[in-house]
């Protein structure tokens, strides 16, 4: 609802929709595996937009630091497309929290991540029942209807792996959607290098 009001206000005041975040697009190459790889010509995901905010899981604040937001160009496009479709279907929903992608050149990420090394992984925080723009602390805070819809959209967009927490009760094809501890506040989405 708030997102729709902001867009309407911008249209009335300026005659245009709110500006889209600037992205320096270039063709990216992901090398190696998610847990042992590199990223060449990564694309930096914007700090926020009409459909999303970014969250730093180490500092527990937004936005996520720029060097934690690099992904393969395909992944960045998929995330933006999924979020746009999700927001159009659920205009009353809060913006979606986006966490870490990869480092600018990939490689070992450090605390919180064994993977995220080749630009094909992203953490997506579950929408909260109370609509606050921050990660849920407990699975009971998750808006399961919206979270399942978001997961289903990433499946349709071609995710090859989605890790979800054991208390989320989110479902999907067992070959793609897997239960993993420490994922009760976010889903970990992975795409393939080549579609």
């Amino acid at each position: 609802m708030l997102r729709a009001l902001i867009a309407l206000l911008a249209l009335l005041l300026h005659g245009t929709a709110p500006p889209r975040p600037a992205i320096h697009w270039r063709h990216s190459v992901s090398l190696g595996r998610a847990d042992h790889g590199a990223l060449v010509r990564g694309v930096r995901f914007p700090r926020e937009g009409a459909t999303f905010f970014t969250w730093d899981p180490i500092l527990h604040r937004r936005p996520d630091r720029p060097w934690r937001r690099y992904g393969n160009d395909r992944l960045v496009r998929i995330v933006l497309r999924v979020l746009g479709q999700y927001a159009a279907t659920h205009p009353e929903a809060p913006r979606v929290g986006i966490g870490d992608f990869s480092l600018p050149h990939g490689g070992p990420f450090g605390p919180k991540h064994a993977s995220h090394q080749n630009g094909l992984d992203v953490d997506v925080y579950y929408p909260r029942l109370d609509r606050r723009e921050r990660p849920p602390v407990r699975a009971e805070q998750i808006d399961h209807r919206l979270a399942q819809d978001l997961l289903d959209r990433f499946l349709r967009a071609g995710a090859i792996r989605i890790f979800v927490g054991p208390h989320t009760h989110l479902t999907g094809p067992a070959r793609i959607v897997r239960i993993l501890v420490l994922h009760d506040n976010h889903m970990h989405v992975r795409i393939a290098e080549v579609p």
Side-chain angles (χ1 to χ4, degrees):
M1 180 74 165
L2 179 60
R3 186 172 40 247
L5 288 173
I6 291 170
L8 180 60
L9 184 60
L11 190 60
L12 292 172
L13 291 175
H14 306 289
T16 62
R20 291 184 175 204
I23 300 173
H24 178 68
W25 292 107
R26 53 193 177 175
H27 176 70
S28 304
V29 178
S30 295
L31 303 171
R33 302 185 322 252
D35 63 346
H36 189 76
L39 175 63
V40 178
R41 293 187 305 277
V43 172
R44 188 171 73 196
F45 194 78
R47 64 185 281 158
E48 70 177 323
T51 61
F52 66 91
F53 65 95
T54 59
W55 184 263
D56 188 315
I58 303 299
L59 300 179
H60 304 286
R61 65 167 176 81
R62 48 180 215 211
D64 199 1
R65 288 168 282 177
W67 54 270
R68 302 177 74 88
R69 301 192 322 253
Y70 279 82
N72 181 291
D73 65 303
R74 279 194 57 250
L75 177 61
V76 172
R77 289 179 199 281
I78 286 171
V79 171
L80 291 171
R81 184 175 68 242
V82 164
L83 297 179
Q85 294 167 350
Y86 169 86
T89 303
H90 306 288
E92 79 293 348
R95 295 185 303 168
V96 175
I98 301 296
D100 290 338
F101 280 79
S102 294
L103 300 177
H105 302 289
F109 205 115
K112 300 262 185 195
H113 301 297
S115 59
H116 288 259
Q117 291 194 25
N118 64 358
L120 300 176
D121 293 344
V122 63
D123 290 335
V124 179
Y125 293 100
Y126 305 123
R128 291 173 57 126
L129 283 168
D130 63 9
R131 307 267 191 253
R132 292 182 69 193
E133 289 188 350
R134 58 185 309 114
V137 177
R138 298 177 310 282
E140 299 80 41
Q141 294 175 318
I142 298 170
D143 185 319
H144 287 87
R145 178 183 65 87
L146 292 177
Q148 184 67 55
D149 182 71
L150 200 52
L151 183 146
D152 292 343
R153 289 175 189 280
F154 278 109
L155 285 171
R156 287 193 298 275
I160 61 168
R161 182 80 67 236
I162 301 177
F163 295 110
V164 298
H167 303 103
T168 64
H169 306 295
L170 298 174
T171 61
R175 70 185 190 286
I176 299 173
V177 179
R178 305 275 176 89
I179 304 296
L180 188 62
V181 296
L182 303 177
H183 285 75
D184 277 337
N185 74 339
H186 72 280
M187 67 181 84
H188 175 124
V189 177
R190 178 173 297 150
I191 67 163
E193 162 65 25
V194 180

